[in-house]
Amino acid sequence: MPELPEVETVVRSIRPLVGRRIVTAEFRNLRILRGGDPDRMAARLAGRRVKEVRRYGKFIVATLDDGSYLMIHLGMTGRLLLGGDAGKHTHAIFTFDKGVLMFDDSRQFGCIEFHEQFPARVARLGPEPLEVTFEEFAAGLARRKTRIKSLLLNQTFLRGVGNIYADEALFRAGIHPMALTARIRKDRARKLHDAVVQVLTEAIEAGGSSISDYVDAEGRKGFFQIHHRVYGRTGEPCLACGTPIRRVVVTQRSSHFCPRCQKR
DNA sequence: ATCGGTACCTGCACGC
DNA sequence: TGCGTGCAGGTACCGA
């Protein structure tokens, strides 16, 4: 489900919780805690006020009033929902002095972690795609020895790009997903940098892409999926040239591309 | 140090 | 109707 635009939309939709106080935290599925102690977490969280909620790539980090941090990752199917009823896949329930936040995740690839210090995993991520300079971006391309699709998905290169937006950006830049990064010339690299920024910006404006189950914390779907040019369009005609869109697997992930518009 | 393959889960669509 | 297969927006971990 969630890549940068979806996580950004979720973060914006839970902003009303900033300034609110956590009354109780209930954890129903411990897998989500990745080894964290549920009782200790609940005790540390109770009474804390949310100072700030920020997004780092696909990670959500809430800063609490005592300087501790609550980190949330939505994985593939994670949802944060304000209010509503707990369901089969509701794994955590945060009750605030005003409002309730539920974490729902059918595949359980998401996680919730409590940290006394800023989480190291988040600190190790690469730059934000909407902030990275072209020079940094190009230096990253030249330094790696892999296929461009793999690099775009690598969160230490850029944080937040996932399978949908990698495919969409590569199409817009006219680059084949299997292209080796070191062989991409500067003009193409610049096109790719621009394409990443544009596609993410447009997707945020559309509230993200709702393929099957993504919704924001108010239950609203995104509508960027209607603007996808290659992702999920295998066999359908390329919107630029009419050639059927193809699907190849790169690093175990589906990649959708136009064989005519995207040369290696 | 980097890279690709694998594992982790559930649900859905499909063909038989 | 049910069963097997393959696929799905994610990252961590392992061995080469």
Side-chain angles (χ1 to χ4, degrees), chain A residues 17-237:
Chain A
L17 294 175
V18 172
R20 303 261 59 94
R21 194 181 290 280
I22 300 169
V23 180
T24 59
E26 180 194 345
F27 301 107
R28 299 185 168 188
N29 180 343
L30 306 187
R31 176 183 298 279
I32 288 307
L33 303 182
R34 297 288 189 277
D37 177 351
D39 296 334
R40 183 181 160 274
M41 277 176 65
R44 281 295 278 107
L45 290 169
R48 299 278 60 79
R49 203 176 277 280
V50 177
K51 254 177 69 179
E52 184 182 42
V53 181
R54 284 197 55 185
R55 179 189 59 73
Y56 297 83
K58 302 170 196 169
F59 288 80
I60 300 168
V61 179
T63 307
L64 306 178
D65 59 357
D66 65 351
S68 59
Y69 299 90
L70 186 65
M71 187 196 89
I72 299 174
H73 195 289
L74 301 175
M76 291 275 250
T77 49
R79 290 174 168 187
L80 284 175
L81 297 165
L82 288 168
D85 297 323
K88 184 179 169 188
H89 300 296
T90 303
H91 308 311
I93 302 174
F94 301 92
T95 304
F96 288 79
D97 50 358
K98 188 179 165 210
V100 176
L101 182 68
M102 300 204 281
F103 177 81
D104 203 280
D105 185 6
S106 65
R107 288 180 74 183
Q108 305 176 41
F109 288 168
C111 63
I112 299 179
E113 294 176 16
F114 177 82
H115 294 273
E116 300 290 353
Q117 261 93 45
F118 189 82
R121 262 170 80 194
V122 178
R124 268 188 255 114
L125 296 169
E128 277 290 326
L130 297 180
E131 295 169 4
V132 70
T133 64
F134 173 68
E135 286 66 32
E136 278 181 274
F137 182 86
L141 286 190
R143 189 157 20 95
R144 320 286 176 124
K145 201 187 157 159
T146 184
R147 308 199 180 274
I148 188 60
K149 176 64 184 287
S150 307
L151 186 61
L152 287 174
L153 296 180
N154 181 341
Q155 304 295 297
T156 65
F157 169 62
L158 284 184
R159 61 188 195 223
V161 176
N163 211 33
I164 295 176
Y165 300 106
D167 282 3
E168 293 298 319
L170 287 170
F171 173 77
R172 291 184 183 208
I175 300 173
H176 193 289
M178 303 265 277
L180 294 171
T181 57
R183 294 186 53 191
I184 295 174
R185 283 194 292 269
K186 196 165 184 180
D187 57 328
R188 285 283 160 173
R190 193 173 290 281
K191 270 193 164 179
L192 181 58
H193 179 241
D194 290 344
V196 166
V197 170
Q198 280 171 21
V199 77
L200 293 176
T201 303
E202 290 172 24
I204 290 170
E205 285 168 8
S209 301
S210 290
I211 301 295
S212 62
D213 53 8
Y214 163 74
V215 289
D216 72 8
E218 300 282 2
R220 295 175 291 230
K221 291 187 175 206
F223 57 88
F224 192 70
Q225 64 279 7
I226 64 179
H227 300 290
H228 292 177
R229 300 180 192 171
V230 284
Y231 184 85
R233 297 193 64 246
T234 308
E236 293 175 42

Side-chain angles (χ1 to χ4, degrees), chain A residues 227-252:
Chain A
H227 300 290
H228 292 177
R229 300 180 192 171
V230 284
Y231 184 85
R233 297 193 64 246
T234 308
E236 293 175 42
C238 171
L239 299 173
C241 75
T243 305
I245 298 302
R246 292 246 299 268
R247 174 183 170 275
V248 284
V249 174
V250 186
T251 331
Q252 312 298 107

